[in-house]
Amino acid sequence: MDWSSVDPYKAFTLFQSAASDGMVQAQYVVGFYTQIILTVKRDYNLAYYWIKKAADSDYDPAKEIVARLEQESLKCCRFTSNFIR
């Protein structure tokens, strides 16, 4: 496949749709996109929301990231109390 022709924003919107439909792997990817990838506006709270949703569905990679994010948030306060309790 020629990856140079892939539209990263289109990929994001497809993942976002799948995440909204409950696909845990897509929830993880949407969280990753909104935390790290610069295709969409960085939003740490939204990233946490989607990754936590995947973790709550027992998706192991997401559980590891949530633990790290919660530990980091105690140090730098990136996330609001709406998502971390």
Side-chain angles (χ1 to χ4, degrees):
M1 174 171 195
D2 179 15
W3 291 101
S4 64
S5 64
V6 173
D7 178 354
Y9 186 75
K10 175 71 173 171
F12 174 75
T13 59
L14 293 172
F15 277 112
Q16 194 172 34
S17 177
S20 294
D21 288 341
M23 182 179 183
V24 295
Q25 297 87 346
Q27 293 167 348
Y28 177 75
V29 170
V30 169
F32 185 77
Y33 258 80
T34 54
Q35 180 191 8
I36 297 172
I37 307 290
L38 298 179
T39 303
V40 296
K41 182 180 176 186
R42 184 173 286 158
D43 184 332
Y44 292 108
N45 291 314
L46 189 58
Y48 179 80
Y49 170 81
W50 283 113
I51 295 171
K52 177 82 165 95
K53 197 166 179 70
D56 289 346
S57 295
D58 210 29
Y59 188 59
D60 287 333
K63 289 193 281 187
E64 293 173 20
I65 297 296
V66 165
R68 191 191 73 195
L69 291 174
E70 289 176 348
Q71 185 175 15
E72 288 178 7
S73 73
L74 296 174
K75 296 176 189 172
C76 67
C77 303
R78 282 186 181 157
F79 303 102
T80 67
S81 60
N82 292 337
F83 293 109
I84 295 184
R85 298 178 197 272

